[in-house]
Amino acid sequence: MIDAELEPTVTPLSAEVPALEVRGLVKHYPGVKALDGVDLVVRQNEVLGLAGENGAGKSTLLKALVGLVRPDAGEIWVRGKKVRLKSVVDAADHGIGMVFQEQSLVPNLTAAENIVLGSEGPGVRRGMYRWKTMRNLAQQQLDKIGSDIDPLARTDTLTFAERQMVEIAKVLRIEQRTQFAPVIILDEPTSVLESKEIETLFTQVRRLREFASVVFVSHRLDEVLDVCDRVTVLRGGESVGEVAAAGAVPGDLHRMMIGSTGSDDHYHGNASQRSGEPLRPMLEVRGLSGKTFRDVDLDVHAGEIVGIVGVHGSGREDVCRALFGAEPTTAGEVSLDGTVLELSGTRAACAAGIGYVPAERKIEGMVGPMSVADNMTLTKQKSRCNGPLIAPKKQATLVDGWIERLSIRTPHRGTAIQRLSGGNQQKVVLARWLVAGDIRLLLLDHPTRGLDIGARSEVYRLMRELANSGVATVLLADSLEEAIGMSDRILVMSDGRATKEVACPAGGKPTPLDLVKEMV
């Protein structure tokens, strides 16, 4: 039974008054105009989708709506009143909450502490936590989204997907901060969730619509159309139009996002174009075992892309990390181009010619305050040095060449990478291994997570180029469709074991259902 204290008490408004309205919002950064007169209307009790390519201005707009960014011009109206949102707390007091794409939890606190942080209420008395009450408060939020996470579990022991569910439970506490219907912003909430968890989330979003307004942001356009009532599209920092979700298809949104006719086929056939099968695989894995996986065998030939698929907890992510020396193993042998490797750590893996693009790009894949140039040359310092010293001209020539070749949108090579859009950040992370020039095996852990259609197509193109140059690639895809579209072969994992290998020849691709049958 839900505590009466947690039930939202909503003061009704006139139906004509928008829950949230943005008028002519403008925001400049050095060399970049992130927002150029954006207009946005969120009606009461609706789910509004927000779509746009990486760099279209979505992130800046959302940050302005939760008080993280001060706009240079324009107005924000909440329930018919103009407001100035000075902080996240200020936005929360106005009933605006956000689930961030990049997680905002405190890792050394429990799930319960994170969920009620800043709104502990009866969970604290005389400066002391009342743990039973805290647990109950958090459990009630977790129950709303059907999660079985232990409220007293430390957040840093949870998986990425579990932490995302805690984020969603946390933002639902905003129901207790205002007498008016809240506005909940969900920024890429499904990026790491499995299909069952996504459906649970969509059920929750539809429940929220009954007493709140929701802004839903996702690069998966089919999801946007599935759960939203309307969709507003941004391009180049401007509002370029909106469509009713009913009757629309992803292609309609894509054309508005890029300003031209897009293709639904972004994979363009098999990634590799090998003329013959090599005598020996580039990567040979035999009986590899670790904490969450056991007896895994895997072969990847030069110029081949092999996808690994499995449900959450199958062990595939840990296998990928183990091949890069970032996860300990207990048994097995790994050979690269005929040489047995001692993967004692990531430094040894890099020296052996192994590259790795992690799923959590901003945490493990880049150094945010460092420049694009420094991030791009981080792995191979010799590429930018003359002897023991950095050669600025050498680095500038090298980096500018890759910026142009990969169409990386950045004001300057010296711009901090954290200032770039997600797609351009990912290009820089991939370029790091291209700069190295001696990569023989590339491990890609969800390389297109959080990227729009255009940025994903660019990543696919880079993957094909690397494969065609002879690089062996292991892909942990963001979806089964992506794994099927990009892979030459697919290894299915279940409960920590490799259970089946599926061929993916051009013209004879398996269906997602074929793989699901082997995954569960």
Side-chain angles (χ1 to χ4, degrees), residues 273-464:
Q273 298 176 2
R274 292 172 285 116
S275 58
E277 194 73 12
L279 296 176
R280 183 181 61 208
M282 175 64 74
L283 173 69
E284 295 177 273
V285 179
R286 296 291 179 268
L288 195 66
S289 299
K291 184 178 180 181
T292 62
F293 57 90
R294 57 199 181 280
D295 299 324
V296 174
D297 294 338
L298 172 66
D299 289 341
V300 185
H301 297 90
E304 184 180 35
I305 295 180
V306 174
I308 304 180
V309 302
V311 299
H312 174 64
S314 65
R316 61 176 185 149
E317 288 85 2
D318 289 339
V319 168
C320 191
R321 293 176 63 85
L323 293 175
F324 191 60
E327 186 80 17
T329 58
T330 57
E333 183 177 274
V334 178
S335 299
L336 190 64
D337 202 16
T339 301
V340 177
L341 302 180
E342 292 292 338
L343 296 180
S344 55
T346 58
R347 186 185 296 272
C350 290
I354 301 175
Y356 174 58
V357 175
E360 299 192 50
R361 176 177 61 246
K362 291 193 176 183
I363 297 176
E364 298 180 320
M366 67 186 214
V367 184
M370 288 177 59
S371 69
V372 169
D374 288 341
N375 271 278
M376 194 180 291
T377 55
L378 193 60
T379 302
K380 292 291 183 179
Q381 296 292 332
K382 291 182 180 180
S383 65
R384 61 173 178 172
C385 295
N386 286 332
L389 301 176
I390 293 177
K393 289 185 178 180
K394 181 178 181 181
Q395 182 184 39
T397 300
L398 178 68
V399 170
D400 286 347
W402 282 108
I403 287 175
E404 181 178 1
R405 180 176 174 183
L406 302 183
S407 301
I408 298 173
R409 298 179 185 176
T410 177
H412 188 265
R413 79 180 82 90
T415 300
I417 191 173
Q418 64 190 8
R419 300 285 296 277
L420 273 57
S421 68
N424 288 297
Q425 289 173 355
Q426 192 72 315
K427 289 182 186 180
V428 174
V429 174
L430 280 167
R432 178 183 304 152
W433 304 112
L434 300 176
V435 167
D438 58 357
I439 294 300
R440 294 181 290 174
L441 171 66
L442 185 60
L443 309 169
L444 301 176
D445 188 354
H446 295 82
T448 62
R449 174 173 291 166
L451 303 188
D452 61 63
I453 291 176
R456 287 203 303 268
S457 295
E458 286 293 308
V459 171
Y460 298 151
R461 179 181 63 81
L462 291 176
M463 290 171 60
R464 289 192 299 272

Side-chain angles (χ1 to χ4, degrees), residues 24-46:
L25 217 61
V26 175
K27 180 62 182 178
H28 295 268
Y29 293 111
V32 178
K33 196 169 189 178
L35 299 178
D36 189 9
V38 168
D39 296 321
L40 182 76
V41 175
V42 184
R43 298 167 186 162
Q44 296 176 51
N45 304 107
E46 79 162 345

Side-chain angles (χ1 to χ4, degrees), residues 488-500:
D488 297 291
R489 288 182 293 117
I490 291 178
L491 184 71
V492 181
M493 290 192 64
S494 177
D495 295 326
R497 290 182 179 274
T499 58
K500 189 176 183 63

Side-chain angles (χ1 to χ4, degrees), residues 225-299:
L225 295 174
D226 182 25
V227 77
C228 296
D229 300 299
R230 291 184 300 125
V231 184
T232 293
V233 178
L234 300 185
R235 184 174 72 238
E238 299 180 357
S239 312
V240 294
E242 68 174 46
V243 298
V249 297
D252 297 332
L253 298 180
H254 187 209
R255 282 187 287 272
M256 294 175 67
M257 288 165 56
I258 66 175
S260 62
T261 301
S263 169
D264 289 334
D265 180 15
H266 307 288
Y267 308 118
H268 306 295
N270 279 38
S272 62
Q273 298 176 2
R274 292 172 285 116
S275 58
E277 194 73 12
L279 296 176
R280 183 181 61 208
M282 175 64 74
L283 173 69
E284 295 177 273
V285 179
R286 296 291 179 268
L288 195 66
S289 299
K291 184 178 180 181
T292 62
F293 57 90
R294 57 199 181 280
D295 299 324
V296 174
D297 294 338
L298 172 66
D299 289 341

